[in-house]
Amino acid sequence: MYNRIARLWRQKESKDLDGADLEKLLAKIDRNRVPRHIAIIMDGNGRWANSRGLPRFFGHKAGVESLRDIVRACSEFKIQVLTVYAFSTENWKRPQEEVNVLMDLLVEYLYKEIDELCREGVKLNPIGKLDELPAGVIKALQMAVERSRTNEGLILNLALNYGGRTEIVEAVRNIASNVKKGILSIDQIDGNTISGYLYTSGQPDPDLLIRPSGDFRISNFLLWQLAYTEFWLTPVLWPDFRRVHLMRAIVDFQSRERRFGGLKKNNRTT
Ligand code: IPE
Ligand code: IPE
Ligand code: MG
């Protein structure tokens, strides 16, 4: 029943979504300069549902469709890493029924999608305090990680019970513990050491952060890794977010000049 209602809404709105000229956007994208790592705060599900007079649950359900489309698109664009924020360390504050719905949807997504993800070569990499998740979620994650372990395409970091501060606290604890054991000396610790102790160890930092739904904040996402990331914000709600929006974000990203604290190319200082 829920599936049908969500599908009906999408059919009704698909005209607007497909209306944009994908071909034109595609022509604008330089395939050799796509972001290596894209991070997305999948926000706005509740507002999407409420604006239709539906309970928040429908928004979460519809949001799964967006995730499917975006994972596929990132694979096609040969993005190396996609990190999606699915559940934060703060989201436990929500009513228990909503937390349950989110966990159930996640389990459903993993079992339903794993074949397709493997066909696309996607490697699933959950990040966050995973041991605190319900047993059913842990089991589904283990299954998906195991099934996709040898895939060599897109790395899909699924941020679950994820908090940027918790991630840094865990890294600091592990660093301190290794110093105590004599594995690491204090003088050796630099930015690269810290990066290497984070959940995203070995991956490039995000080049592009996308936050849908019109809020302008990080909400405890990838605090260390976002130091020089380009932000792309849009009022489009996550359940309405499709590859056309991703492509707009990539086109915009490619028009920016990243200076990393330096100067513009050819800038005369005197
Ligand atoms: C994002 O949508 C999903 C999660 C945080 C798990 P929200 O549920 O935050 O939707 P809004 O922001 O209330 O619209
Ligand atoms: C961020 O969205 C977390 C996820 C999308 C999983 P929230 O809706 O929880 O963030 P706030 O409360 O607006 O900062
Ligand atoms: Mg929100």
Side-chain angles (χ1 to χ4, degrees), residues 49-99:
N50 288 162
S51 69
R52 287 159 179 77
L54 299 168
R56 295 173 57 83
F57 165 70
F58 286 90
H60 297 314
K61 182 98 194 159
V64 177
E65 275 308 309
S66 306
L67 179 60
R68 276 200 190 99
D69 192 43
I70 296 311
V71 169
R72 202 161 298 149
C74 285
S75 281
E76 287 168 21
F77 280 113
K78 303 259 182 292
I79 307 294
Q80 266 180 47
V81 187
L82 170 66
T83 303
V84 289
Y85 205 3
F87 194 88
S88 74
T89 45
E90 287 72 38
N91 285 147
W92 299 107
K93 292 177 194 159
R94 297 190 180 197
Q96 190 59 45
E97 311 87 81
E98 180 163 346
V99 171

Side-chain angles (χ1 to χ4, degrees), residues 38-45 67 82-91 102 106 127-128 156-166 209-212 217-223 226 238:
I38 297 178
I40 305 182
I41 300 176
M42 304 190 290
D43 196 23
N45 297 351
L67 179 60
L82 170 66
T83 303
V84 289
Y85 205 3
F87 194 88
S88 74
T89 45
E90 287 72 38
N91 285 147
L102 286 164
L106 183 72
I127 60 170
L156 176 59
N157 289 335
L158 199 53
L160 282 173
N161 193 21
Y162 173 90
R165 289 191 170 180
T166 300
L209 171 80
I210 297 174
R211 181 161 191 157
R217 57 178 170 265
I218 297 185
S219 302
N220 202 12
F221 194 37
L222 303 173
L223 296 180
L226 294 178
W238 176 248

Side-chain angles (χ1 to χ4, degrees), residues 162 167 198-200 205-206 221-229:
Y162 173 90
E167 182 182 29
L198 300 177
Y199 305 135
T200 49
D205 285 338
F221 194 37
L222 303 173
L223 296 180
W224 175 273
Q225 297 90 330
L226 294 178
Y228 268 106
T229 301

